[in-house]
């Protein structure tokens, strides 16, 4: 059984039985006149709502306006620069952090979440917190949480834990086959039987 074309899907439940890339859902939203911005799960909910209630569009809450006008793209950053509610992790920010922490600096989700929830602290505080995150990585029992929307990374972790001697090539093959099968909620999850695919 292969995934049907979107045009042939009649209900939100049927749509939710399949794995969809974010780009595919953006295209569906554009084609059907639905708002096409937001996170992957926002788009999914919007499409399901529209399928189940033809002619109606799920309310999209307005994005909260930021209070700060600090320009993270152009301003010169220092250790005393305060984190603002409009913090941006673009090239200017990354270059500054690399100048302080070295080329191995990476803007991972734990660090970005910390930044967003610590408005008012300084970049010196952020550097200290980043170093704490790096120390935590050395703990052999530590596993960084994977965002619910990042199914491939979770699948990879679960597959390799269960099959440490399998190749990445086989992992990718199983993923590609598994994501084409129907699911109960649109989530692709690793199961031992995937090796039989």
């Amino acid at each position: 059984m292969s995934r049907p074309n979107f045009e042939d899907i009649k209900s939100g439940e049927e749509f939710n039985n399949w794995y969809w890339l974010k780009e595919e859902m953006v295209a569906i939203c554009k084609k059907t006149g639905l708002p096409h911005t937001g996170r992957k799960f926002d788009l999914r909910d919007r499409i399901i709502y529209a399928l189940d209630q033809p002619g109606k569009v799920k309310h999209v809450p307005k994005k909260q306006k930021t209070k700060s006008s600090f320009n993270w793209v152009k301003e010169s950053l220092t250790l005393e620069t305060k984190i603002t509610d409009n913090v941006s992790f673009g090239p200017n920010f990354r270059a500054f952090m690399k100048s302080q922490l070295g080329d191995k600096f990476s803007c991972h989700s734990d660090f970005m979440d910390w930044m967003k929830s610590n408005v008012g602290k300084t970049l010196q505080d952020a550097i200290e917190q980043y170093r704490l995150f790096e120390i935590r990585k050395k703990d052999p029992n530590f596993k960084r949480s994977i965002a619910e929307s990042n199914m491939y990374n979770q699948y990879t972790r679960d597959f390799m834990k269960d099959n440490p001697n399998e190749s990445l090539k086989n992992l990718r093959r199983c993923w590609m086959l598994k994501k084409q099968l129907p699911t109960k909620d649109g989530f692709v999850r690793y199961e031992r039987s995937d090796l039989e695919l």
Side-chain angles (χ1 to χ4, degrees):
M1 184 180 198
S2 59
R3 190 182 79 179
N5 292 325
F6 176 73
E7 294 74 20
D8 299 324
I9 292 176
K10 306 297 182 211
S11 70
E13 183 180 359
E14 188 182 354
F15 179 83
N16 203 34
N17 282 336
W18 302 96
Y19 174 81
W20 301 86
L21 294 169
K22 182 177 180 181
E23 301 82 60
E24 293 176 301
M25 291 191 280
V26 167
I28 289 167
C29 287
K30 286 180 178 179
K31 190 173 183 180
T32 56
L34 297 171
H36 58 273
T37 58
R39 297 172 308 138
K40 183 174 182 175
F41 290 108
D42 296 332
L43 299 173
R44 179 181 217 83
D45 290 347
R46 210 170 290 153
I47 293 166
I48 290 170
Y49 185 89
L51 283 166
D52 289 341
Q53 301 182 55
K56 294 189 177 179
V57 177
K58 188 171 186 176
H59 171 71
V60 179
K62 285 188 177 177
K63 202 174 178 182
Q64 274 192 321
K65 287 189 176 179
T66 57
K67 295 174 184 167
S68 176
S69 59
F70 185 81
N71 189 330
W72 286 87
V73 174
K74 295 181 180 177
E75 293 286 341
S76 179
L77 304 179
T78 69
L79 294 173
E80 291 77 37
T81 299
K82 291 201 186 284
I83 301 167
T84 61
D85 62 348
N86 67 337
V87 65
S88 167
F89 304 104
N92 190 36
F93 175 79
R94 290 170 192 257
F96 172 76
M97 294 304 279
K98 283 184 177 183
S99 75
Q100 301 297 312
L101 292 161
D103 287 339
K104 290 189 175 182
F105 168 78
S106 69
C107 238
H108 54 73
S109 58
D110 290 348
F111 179 66
M112 290 189 288
D113 289 344
W114 183 91
M115 291 279 295
K116 289 174 187 173
S117 61
N118 282 279
V119 170
K121 291 197 173 181
T122 66
L123 291 184
Q124 176 68 56
D125 296 323
I127 288 166
E128 289 168 17
Q129 183 60 46
Y130 185 85
R131 287 185 174 129
L132 290 175
F133 283 136
E134 290 300 290
I135 291 168
R136 184 182 68 175
K137 279 171 34 179
K138 293 175 184 169
D139 177 354
N141 298 316
F142 170 71
K143 291 264 190 262
R144 180 176 288 143
S145 62
I146 297 174
E148 188 179 38
S149 60
N150 199 335
M151 289 179 241
Y152 178 71
N153 281 5
Q154 188 64 56
Y155 188 92
T156 298
R157 179 183 284 178
D158 296 341
F159 182 98
M160 294 312 289
K161 181 180 178 186
D162 198 38
N163 307 285
N165 298 320
E166 276 292 340
S167 68
L168 289 175
K169 185 177 180 181
N170 279 343
L171 154 70
R172 284 192 281 272
R173 186 180 296 132
C174 286
W175 166 259
M176 294 303 289
L177 293 167
K178 180 76 180 259
K179 73 178 189 171
Q180 295 174 44
L181 299 174
T183 71
K184 60 182 175 195
D185 57 5
F187 280 86
V188 178
R189 295 178 180 91
Y190 168 75
E191 297 169 304
R192 184 163 285 181
S193 59
D194 293 354
L195 290 171
E196 297 167 17
L197 293 171

